[in-house]
Amino acid sequence: MTITPMINTLIITTLSFPLVPLLHIGFLRLSKAGRMKGLFFAVALYGVGWFFLIRALYEGISLSMFLGGAYMIGFLSLGYAEFFSMISRGFSLHILTDVYRAPGRTLGQILNEYSGKGARWMMEKRIPTLVSMQMLGKKDGALFLKGRGAIVGHIGILVKNILKLGGGG
């Protein structure tokens, strides 16, 4: 049984994708670029390298090979971005690691001492990030959704309703 160039392209893409986290970690350690900028640069560098590798291996690249590989890179990149986001900013995961580090905490203790800084600290950290991402705005001390934030909020509610997830985070 012969493996087609298209299948080979997908195999090469999948097996070489672990380079993205390594590149991302390198960008995080060597530059002052933000976490997501580092991820973007890692994926972009990987994508360019992937393109030239496939092109060299097959003396050119067909549209279907390019699209198949590009979709696979996109799929794997989004998965990695979600994983990275969950690890670095996930509220639920943070609670789990806090309880792991100090077993026997009550809910009140977790709320009052969220990572030693309190739940207020967590909100004060997250809200400026959402403002800088143009998802939230502030006017007279009140928060309001901006264009992108309204779209993300609407999609979030829509998906929660479709999947019957309730009101949680």
Side-chain angles (χ1 to χ4, degrees):
M1 184 167 133
T2 306
I3 297 177
T4 66
M6 177 62 173
I7 298 299
N8 255 352
T9 299
L10 296 176
I11 291 169
I12 291 168
T13 304
T14 304
L15 292 179
S16 63
F17 190 79
L19 290 172
V20 168
L22 294 175
L23 290 168
H24 185 209
I25 291 166
F27 279 121
L28 290 175
R29 299 216 181 258
L30 299 174
S31 75
K32 300 221 186 250
R35 293 176 181 165
M36 296 318 276
K37 278 186 183 173
L39 176 57
F40 174 78
F41 289 132
V43 170
L45 183 61
Y46 172 76
V48 168
W50 169 87
F51 176 79
F52 285 112
L53 174 67
I54 297 300
R55 190 170 168 213
L57 287 174
Y58 294 105
E59 297 176 7
I61 185 168
S62 70
L63 180 62
S64 62
M65 288 169 63
F66 174 76
L67 290 176
Y71 288 140
M72 181 63 83
I73 291 170
F75 172 75
L76 294 171
S77 297
L78 289 173
Y80 174 69
E82 185 61 33
F83 172 77
F84 180 76
S85 179
M86 182 178 73
I87 295 298
S88 66
R89 298 179 52 94
F91 183 63
S92 298
L93 183 62
H94 210 10
I95 291 170
L96 292 174
T97 58
D98 283 352
V99 171
Y100 177 83
R101 288 181 182 146
R105 281 182 153 177
T106 66
L107 176 61
Q109 288 171 319
I110 291 171
L111 287 173
N112 290 331
E113 302 171 13
Y114 186 79
S115 290
K117 300 174 184 173
R120 181 180 188 87
W121 166 83
M122 195 267 304
M123 290 295 166
E124 288 172 350
K125 178 181 171 193
R126 293 280 176 91
I127 290 178
T129 300
L130 292 171
V131 169
S132 73
M133 294 173 67
Q134 301 292 313
M135 291 191 176
L136 281 179
K138 281 185 178 181
K139 185 174 184 178
D140 300 326
L143 296 172
F144 64 92
L145 290 173
K146 291 183 121 182
R148 219 183 289 171
I151 292 168
V152 171
H154 178 73
I155 291 170
I157 290 169
L158 182 68
V159 170
K160 285 177 160 217
N161 288 339
I162 290 170
L163 298 176
K164 298 187 187 298
L165 294 177

